[in-house]
Amino acid sequence: LADDLGYNELGCYGQEKIQTPNLDALAERGMRFTDHYSGHAVCAPSRCVLMTGLHTGHSYVRENSPWASGQNPHGEGQEPLPADTVTLARLLQGRGYTTSCIGKWGLGGPETTGAPENQGFDHFFGYLCQREAHNYFPTHLWRNETRVDLEGNEGGKQLLGKHYAPDLINNEVLEFIDKNHQQPFFLYYATIIPHVSLQVPENDPGLAEY
């Protein structure tokens, strides 16, 4: 799940200005979806639709609600999914799959009923809170219930830092696949790219083009 990636922003769908060679190669070897719509216009409810299979007339999360960040001791996170929510991860977990969400969650902050470990995921790494995910150099991420502080990242409007979250998330994805590829697994890879902020490390080779 690519955050804010539009249909016409990939070369395999006709884009000519933005270069997306790796995704184009995946499309060439796999399949393209040519008639598909997001479950909602904004972040949290669209993720709720994806995880529950319910359209927004029936799904619990229907907006990007900011109030929930004050409802847990860590002061972050959106309105949490209720404890009895039937999620895709919970169904697959019950069928013997090892389940993982890596990237951005947005359906419940730490120590809430909506946290990934309470919604069918054996493993989580990334951003629990959508607002925190507006910075690619965050002060911290989460691994299950444990806060992972990223020393050298100042957060806020700081444009650069020591730890680039998309790289940490990608490494976690590869480690999970390496560890679990010989057994049934479900990986929900919710990358924060290309959503704001549009930050890249100073040594990124792509910057040389500019």
Side-chain angles (χ1 to χ4, degrees):
L1 178 68
D3 203 346
D4 273 2
L5 180 66
Y7 178 94
N8 288 322
E9 293 172 358
L10 300 178
C12 58
Y13 292 112
Q15 173 61 246
E16 296 180 354
K17 294 182 179 179
I18 304 171
Q19 302 303 308
T20 57
N22 294 321
L23 293 176
D24 297 345
L26 284 174
E28 181 71 23
R29 298 193 302 267
M31 66 173 66
R32 293 183 306 126
F33 292 97
T34 58
D35 190 8
H36 177 76
Y37 299 88
S38 175
H40 197 277
V42 294
C43 194
S46 65
R47 292 167 192 271
C48 181
V49 169
L50 181 64
M51 283 294 99
T52 65
L54 300 174
H55 65 67
T56 50
H58 291 282
S59 60
Y60 182 77
V61 178
R62 302 186 185 187
E63 63 178 343
N64 285 340
S65 176
W67 68 266
S69 61
Q71 306 302 308
N72 69 73
H74 300 278
E76 62 178 272
Q78 283 63 52
E79 186 167 4
L81 292 173
D84 60 352
T85 302
V86 178
T87 64
L88 177 59
R90 182 166 283 156
L91 291 174
L92 290 173
Q93 192 180 53
R95 294 284 197 269
Y97 284 70
T98 299
T99 56
S100 178
C101 173
I102 302 175
K104 180 170 125 178
W105 178 239
L107 295 175
E111 299 185 39
T112 70
T113 58
E117 66 271 13
N118 295 326
Q119 293 294 333
F121 286 100
D122 299 308
H123 170 260
F124 172 78
F125 179 74
Y127 299 85
L128 287 174
C129 180
Q130 295 173 173
R131 290 180 304 169
E132 297 291 331
H134 288 172
N135 191 339
Y136 289 6
F137 293 95
T139 59
H140 67 280
L141 295 172
W142 290 87
R143 178 172 283 109
N144 299 327
E145 298 175 317
T146 302
R147 175 177 163 135
V148 180
D149 290 313
L150 302 177
E151 183 180 355
N153 287 9
E154 298 181 17
K157 296 183 179 180
Q158 188 74 21
L159 294 179
L160 295 173
K162 183 178 180 181
H163 301 281
Y164 188 56
D167 286 346
L168 300 179
I169 289 168
N170 290 345
N171 291 339
E172 192 86 6
V173 165
L174 295 175
E175 289 177 11
F176 177 82
I177 293 173
D178 286 342
K179 182 178 179 180
N180 294 281
H181 72 278
Q182 293 185 329
Q183 61 188 18
F185 72 86
F186 169 58
L187 171 61
Y188 171 35
Y189 173 31
T191 176
I192 58 175
I193 296 175
H195 190 46
V196 296
S197 297
L198 302 178
Q199 300 157 280
V200 293
E202 288 183 297
N203 60 353
D204 191 292
L207 289 179
E209 299 179 11
Y210 302 97

